[in-house]
Amino acid sequence: MTNCRQSKHFLKKRLGVINPSNYTRISTEVCDFKIVPSRLTVVLGLATFISTFGSSFQYGYNVAVINSPSPFMQQFYNTTYMERYNSPMEEDFLTLLWSLSVSMFPLGGFFGSIMVAPLVNKLGRKGTLLFNNIFAIVPAVMMGVSEIAKSYEIIIVARFIVGICAGLASNVVPMYLSELAPKNLRGAICIVTELLITSGILLAQTLGIRHILGNGTGWTLLLGLTGIPAVIELLLLPFFPESPRYMLIQKGDEKRARKILQRLRGWEDVDEELLEMRLEEQSEKAEGRLTVLNLLSQRSLRWQLISIIVINMGQQLSGVNAIFYYANSIYANAGVRQNDIQYVTVGTGAVNVCNLLLQVSIVESSGRKLLLVCGFAVNCVACVLFTVALNLQDSVAWMPYVSIACVVVYIMGHAIGPGPLPFLVTSEMFRQTARPAALMIAGGVHWLSNFIVGLAFPYLEKGLGNYSFLIFAFICLVTLVYIWIVVPETKNKTFLEISQMFDKRNKVEIKLDAGDLPLKESKENPWDVAKVTSF
């Protein structure tokens, strides 16, 4: 370690921290010095909370908010129809309207997700989150006045708009946080996204209790409350920094990127992290900014792309949103008394939040791959046992309790990995120029799958009855096997190192200049990496 100070100075000169025009290879003279693990600072912690509360919270809240007041909302639909046409609404038409009310949210999420890449490249990560608040405040007002306006169409349109908000948030927040966080905290910081989603679900379930707002007079207020977190984010997030990676790699503003890193890390010497960013920038110079079409045609990113599609489809088609969207009908079929359903729903939501709190503390030690595999395995087994319990509940008196236990275990399993980790893994598998397009594709798959579940599950439940969850069990099994075989562990790796892990499967080689060091996996030292040219 005697020559580390001189070697760090050498690296700065060679990579351009002192001389930005000089992008050359790293010399073998560099010593093996280690990065001091970064800590959670007040700025990083507050930026994480405000961005997730104002954005991710919206996603969770709007997933669950229409579950509890659904009888009163459907009664409003029927009454409005009767006043317009002097005849009661047909049951099939009511089912269609209600399916649209549920599924317009994920459909809006799909359209929000395909807006991600152009917005984050134009407005930045933080700027996109601030702009996104429009899609929360406007529908909150619309849903709040829907009963006065006597229009169920307003609710359906508002659900679509707030879905756009959730679609943007579910992609941009993990991107923003993964680029703010140091690699030793990246997993835990990004899990907060899912923690706030589940907190939103829990609050919606709690406020939806009949004695609070889930009744004939309070349901419009319940729907309209979604605008409050957006207003808070709009007021507070401007005081927090933009992504330093965005500022350095995409805007070329090293001075501002350095100041942001110093503020986030709580110390002045951030040269090591800037050097790692420059290595990533250098490796991507020949590729330029990747669009979705470019990404789809990149052989060097083929298996990363397949992996994020499989993982995000598996997350949504595993059945979790069927449980959140239609929890009341599922618990009713499981034999829960009507008056107790709302409390069971809140209880399962609380279990979900507690599991995510645990997840924050173990994700960096356990790793992403193990938690994903274990989570999908638990979901698969829970779906099979739930199907068995539903078929036996008429003949065995205590079987309804087993059904409830299966749902609780399923939610716990989903919180282990399938819930919080897909967007984290997506943001980790791609480097800076490909990340917006990759998250755009992952978000599109995520929300399109969510839309299919929300629209199809009522018909699936009617057609297959107690066996509908076997489809979800099969999807969980297929996703589990794929992750086990294909997806590498990404914890505590730089974005460049993770990209290298896929090179063999993609059948590409990273071209090196003569005399350069071979690229290799590094646990501590991101400077044991040579110059990378085009794949």
Side-chain angles (χ1 to χ4, degrees):
M1 298 293 288
T2 56
N3 295 322
C4 281
R5 196 176 296 275
Q6 293 91 332
S7 297
K8 288 167 72 175
H9 181 75
F10 173 82
L11 274 171
K12 293 176 188 177
K13 293 180 69 176
R14 302 287 272 182
L15 281 177
V17 176
I18 292 176
N19 181 6
S21 63
N22 188 15
Y23 288 92
T24 55
R25 64 183 182 273
I26 300 173
S27 170
T28 55
E29 299 171 25
V30 178
C31 68
D32 186 18
F33 60 88
K34 297 178 183 287
I35 304 170
V36 179
S38 297
R39 64 182 188 273
L40 180 65
T41 60
V42 173
V43 174
L44 179 58
L46 287 176
T48 299
F49 176 75
I50 291 168
S51 61
T52 52
F53 178 69
S55 299
S56 303
F57 187 87
Q58 302 280 5
Y59 177 1
Y61 188 85
N62 286 288
V63 163
V65 72
I66 66 172
N67 178 56
S68 294
S70 59
F72 305 101
M73 293 178 67
Q74 291 180 52
Q75 183 180 347
F76 164 68
Y77 287 13
N78 204 12
T79 302
T80 302
Y81 188 89
M82 176 76 79
E83 290 177 359
R84 289 181 187 177
Y85 305 109
N86 296 319
S87 63
M89 186 181 293
E90 294 181 3
E91 184 177 349
D92 288 345
F93 186 56
L94 180 59
T95 301
L96 175 61
L97 279 181
W98 187 245
S99 294
L100 287 173
S101 300
V102 173
S103 59
M104 280 298 105
F105 175 68
L107 183 62
F110 171 76
F111 281 94
S113 67
I114 64 177
M115 295 164 59
V116 168
L119 284 176
V120 296
N121 289 326
K122 180 74 173 178
L123 303 178
R125 282 61 166 149
K126 186 180 80 170
T128 301
L129 290 177
L130 291 171
F131 173 75
N132 192 32
N133 290 307
I134 296 171
F135 299 112
I137 297 171
V138 171
V141 174
M142 292 172 66
M143 290 186 287
V145 302
S146 58
E147 190 174 27
I148 297 172
K150 295 185 178 180
S151 172
Y152 47 75
E153 293 89 352
I154 287 180
I155 296 175
I156 295 172
V157 173
R159 288 280 293 173
F160 176 80
I161 297 173
V162 81
I164 294 175
C165 169
L168 277 166
S170 64
N171 288 271
V172 180
V173 173
M175 187 191 308
Y176 178 58
L177 295 183
S178 68
E179 294 177 10
L180 288 188
K183 69 176 184 177
N184 63 298
L185 294 177
R186 192 168 61 224
I189 290 292
C190 289
I191 291 294
V192 177
T193 302
E194 186 68 19
L195 178 61
L196 266 291
I197 291 174
T198 57
S199 298
I201 291 171
L202 178 59
L203 182 63
Q205 291 168 338
T206 303
L207 295 178
I209 291 174
R210 298 285 185 268
H211 300 301
I212 304 178
L213 293 176
N215 49 55
T217 58
W219 64 267
T220 52
L221 177 59
L222 181 65
L223 297 181
L225 287 176
T226 188
I228 294 177
V231 172
I232 293 173
E233 181 181 62
L234 197 60
L235 293 174
L236 297 181
L237 191 60
F239 296 100
F240 292 89
E242 178 57 272
S243 159
R245 285 182 177 271
Y246 172 77
M247 295 308 303
L248 178 64
I249 298 176
Q250 290 180 251
K251 303 298 285 185
D253 191 342
E254 181 182 334
K255 184 177 180 181
R256 189 172 171 192
R258 178 183 295 276
K259 289 181 178 179
I260 290 171
L261 277 175
Q262 289 170 341
R263 188 179 173 200
L264 288 169
R265 302 296 178 256
W267 53 59
E268 293 296 314
D269 186 6
V270 293
D271 289 341
E272 290 87 352
E273 203 163 350
L274 284 170
L275 289 172
E276 186 268 316
M277 290 181 192
R278 283 198 175 279
L279 283 169
E280 184 177 342
E281 178 190 28
Q282 185 181 355
S283 73
E284 296 181 329
K285 271 184 171 270
E287 295 176 8
R289 184 180 300 167
L290 293 179
T291 65
V292 171
L293 291 177
N294 295 145
L295 184 59
L296 291 173
S297 63
Q298 282 280 331
R299 181 179 175 182
S300 61
L301 299 173
R302 182 176 301 163
W303 280 99
Q304 292 96 309
L305 188 62
I306 295 171
S307 296
I308 66 169
I309 290 172
V310 171
I311 293 172
N312 281 279
M313 283 185 68
Q315 180 199 50
Q316 292 303 304
L317 299 181
S318 64
V320 64
N321 282 318
I323 290 175
F324 287 128
Y325 288 144
Y326 302 103
N328 284 11
S329 64
I330 290 171
Y331 288 134
N333 291 337
V336 180
R337 290 184 300 176
Q338 193 64 38
N339 290 336
D340 295 336
I341 287 176
Q342 56 187 334
Y343 302 109
V344 174
T345 301
V346 172
T348 54
V351 168
N352 204 12
V353 172
C354 291
N355 272 276
L356 263 298
L357 286 170
L358 174 64
Q359 188 77 329
V360 172
S361 63
I362 67 171
V363 66
E364 293 298 350
S365 58
S366 301
R368 286 57 152 158
K369 182 172 181 175
L370 176 63
L371 293 175
L372 281 168
V373 168
C374 290
F376 278 112
V378 171
N379 285 174
C380 180
V381 173
C383 285
V384 172
L385 293 179
F386 186 53
T387 302
V388 173
L390 288 175
N391 281 282
L392 294 178
Q393 67 183 15
D394 292 334
S395 56
V396 181
W398 44 267
M399 197 55 67
Y401 299 104
V402 176
S403 299
I404 297 171
C406 288
V407 174
V408 172
V409 169
Y410 178 94
I411 290 173
M412 292 174 65
H414 200 264
I416 289 174
L421 294 180
F423 275 107
L424 168 60
V425 172
T426 299
S427 66
E428 289 181 326
M429 283 186 183
F430 294 87
R431 288 172 289 156
Q432 189 74 16
T433 55
R435 195 172 297 127
L439 280 165
M440 185 171 162
I441 293 172
V445 170
H446 171 100
W447 286 102
L448 191 59
S449 301
N450 193 329
F451 171 73
I452 292 170
V453 172
L455 185 64
F457 185 74
Y459 300 99
L460 191 66
E461 194 176 29
K462 285 184 179 180
L464 296 178
N466 295 338
Y467 296 98
S468 56
F469 274 82
L470 287 180
I471 296 176
F472 300 136
F474 175 74
I475 291 170
C476 289
L477 179 61
V478 171
T479 309
L480 180 160
V481 172
Y482 178 88
I483 293 171
W484 182 262
I485 295 173
V486 175
V487 178
E489 179 54 65
T490 61
K491 74 167 184 174
N492 204 32
K493 300 289 191 298
T494 67
F495 296 118
L496 190 58
E497 289 170 339
I498 294 166
S499 181
Q500 291 171 240
M501 294 178 189
F502 281 95
D503 291 342
K504 185 176 180 180
R505 190 171 293 277
N506 286 322
K507 297 181 180 179
V508 297
E509 292 183 3
I510 296 180
K511 298 177 183 178
L512 303 175
D513 288 341
D516 278 346
L517 291 172
L519 285 172
K520 63 182 180 180
E521 183 179 315
S522 172
K523 293 181 180 178
E524 299 283 352
N525 191 356
W527 301 283
D528 285 341
V529 183
K531 179 181 177 182
V532 183
T533 59
S534 178
F535 281 150

